[in-house]
Amino acid sequence: RAKQQGRNTFEWYTHDISERLNQRVSLRRELQEAIDAEKLELHYQPLVCAQTLEVISLEALLRWNHPDKGYISPADFIPLAEETGQIIPLSNWVIKQACLDSLDLEKQLHKLYPIAVNISPLQFRRSSFLDHLFASLEEFQRPTQALELELTEGILMDNPDTAIRLLKLLRLAGVKVAIDDFGTGFSSLSYLKRLPISKIKIDRSFVREVTHSSADAAIIQGVISMAHHMQLQVVAEGIEKPEQQAFLQQSGCDLLQGFLFARPMSKPALLEFLQTAKAVEKNFLEP
Ligand code: C2E
Ligand code: MG
Ligand code: MG
Ligand code: MG
């Protein structure tokens, strides 16, 4: 009986593996079709000034509008795309689309909102990365401040010397770089000191409990103070509650991002959001 059960478990297990493999193979094919047919979309989430709540910049977040599954989060397909190499055409598409959207937003709003793009490790390691970035900016007549890059600690720690060389070139060109999900990697502070970056984005996991956990509160205050001593701006991600907003404002955080202010939006929804925000600002300034 035990043997029988064991076999069933084994069969069930192999069935499960082949099922998952099939799913991955079809996901991979569907992703390729989506890339070819441009079925991917960039959505945008505003970053607001912590003091005035005015929109300062935007983060581009990739969305796959899947025919049966609806919107799929990049967290669910970026790892697969990294494995298959599809991340490269995907990332190139993201940069071009962000440039195109930046141009369109500026035309319609008469204001430049810098767009931060998330960069994958494979993309950053390619020798053609900077060339492609600058070529895209030029193709769409975008100034270098139009795009910002978000890199994780892991990407920078992988090969510090190469990372520093690229960061220096980006700084010279005027492209700002932020460290994303800060606090979840293990970058040493002495290494951080050598990085020519502009911003630190404190990971959402520290913000979540900040009003209940004195450890998280201390970490956030420590990071803000350290970052300010290094002339870096600090962004807090994942603000969902007014208490979190209040804590971060009191702690001197520079920029806030989260569902409390705005969710990631399609470009038409974003345009409407920014036009309304502008009208409110104008009424406020010129009553
Ligand atoms: P991330 O760069 O840390 O992006 C922030 C994530 O938090 C986004 O998830 C965003 O929708 C979500 N978020 C924002 N505010 C809140 C909030 O108040 N509460 C909660 N619970 N979540 C919030 P999303 O869009 O699913 O993206 C997940 C990750 O996928 C991103 O994390 C980023 O690492 C990656 N990603 C997104 N777009 C791209 C891309 O174009 N290229 C690459 N390589 N990676 C991307
Ligand atoms: Mg990001
Ligand atoms: Mg993040
Ligand atoms: Mg994150």
Side-chain angles (χ1 to χ4, degrees):
R1 168 140 177 91
K3 208 172 176 182
Q4 172 98 37
Q5 223 175 27
R7 216 182 103 190
N8 282 342
T9 311
F10 180 71
E11 273 171 10
W12 179 83
Y13 183 67
T14 48
H15 173 77
D16 189 45
I17 288 180
S18 68
E19 177 77 359
R20 272 189 288 165
L21 270 174
N22 279 335
Q23 277 177 2
R24 288 173 66 81
V25 170
S26 64
L27 198 64
R28 174 190 177 158
R29 185 178 36 77
E30 287 173 283
L31 180 57
Q32 192 56 50
E33 284 163 10
I35 296 170
D36 296 340
E38 309 226 334
K39 291 256 176 51
L40 300 164
E41 294 175 22
L42 281 186
H43 283 200
Y44 293 96
Q45 187 179 31
L47 278 73
V48 304
C49 167
Q51 298 310 319
T52 64
L53 302 189
E54 184 191 356
V55 177
I56 303 295
S57 59
L58 307 165
E59 178 174 3
L61 294 159
L62 189 57
R63 296 288 178 266
W64 176 4
N65 194 354
H66 189 279
D68 321 316
K69 299 186 183 111
Y71 280 117
I72 307 183
S73 160
D76 297 327
F77 65 87
I78 294 267
L80 176 71
E82 297 234 342
E83 266 175 54
T84 62
Q86 287 165 306
I87 190 70
I88 298 302
L90 200 65
S91 304
N92 289 343
W93 179 84
V94 167
I95 289 194
K96 288 211 167 189
Q97 192 59 42
C99 288
L100 208 64
D101 288 343
S102 160
L103 187 62
D104 190 32
L105 289 174
E106 191 179 24
K107 275 191 188 144
Q108 302 212 40
L109 298 161
H110 310 288
K111 187 169 168 182
L112 179 73
Y113 290 96
I115 294 178
V117 175
N118 292 283
I119 303 298
S120 102
L122 274 178
Q123 181 185 10
F124 189 71
R125 269 193 242 127
R126 301 248 305 179
S127 56
S128 55
F129 172 63
L130 284 188
D131 285 343
H132 181 267
L133 178 72
F134 294 135
S136 301
L137 286 165
E138 204 175 296
E139 183 181 348
F140 300 103
Q141 312 121 49
R142 294 290 73 207
T144 47
Q145 320 84 272
L147 288 193
E148 299 185 354
L149 308 182
E150 295 195 2
L151 306 171
T152 56
E153 288 167 80
I155 300 183
L156 299 171
M157 298 273 288
D158 253 11
N159 187 341
D161 294 329
T162 310
I164 290 172
R165 192 176 53 80
L166 287 183
L167 291 176
K168 283 186 178 155
L169 291 170
L170 287 164
R171 158 138 317 165
L172 269 176
V175 178
K176 284 189 186 166
V177 173
I179 299 196
D180 204 355
D181 305 337
F182 187 77
T184 59
F186 293 94
S187 42
S188 77
L189 298 179
S190 63
Y191 170 57
L192 191 68
K193 193 177 70 177
R194 295 171 53 210
L195 294 178
I197 52 164
S198 306
K199 276 183 206 162
I200 283 179
K201 298 187 77 176
I202 300 179
D203 192 66
R204 180 163 94 227
S205 55
F206 299 102
V207 171
R208 197 179 301 131
E209 299 293 315
V210 74
T211 49
H212 302 106
S213 152
S214 55
D216 285 343
I219 290 170
I220 287 187
Q221 286 171 331
V223 168
I224 293 175
S225 141
M226 175 197 76
H228 284 170
H229 277 110
M230 293 160 61
Q231 316 331 314
L232 303 175
Q233 276 197 315
V234 186
V235 185
E237 307 187 295
I239 312 276
E240 293 180 355
K241 298 181 183 146
E243 311 88 88
Q244 296 165 337
Q245 173 188 337
F247 177 86
L248 283 144
Q249 285 173 324
Q250 281 153 23
S251 307
C253 190
D254 304 290
L255 297 163
L256 307 177
Q257 183 179 6
F259 294 168
L260 182 64
F261 311 105
R263 288 186 174 255
M265 292 170 268
S266 67
K267 199 175 71 172
L270 173 78
L271 263 169
E272 204 183 301
F273 178 89
L274 291 176
Q275 263 150 356
T276 311
K278 231 169 94 170
V280 171
E281 255 167 52
K282 194 158 176 271
N283 278 335
F284 181 72
L285 294 171
E286 305 159 18

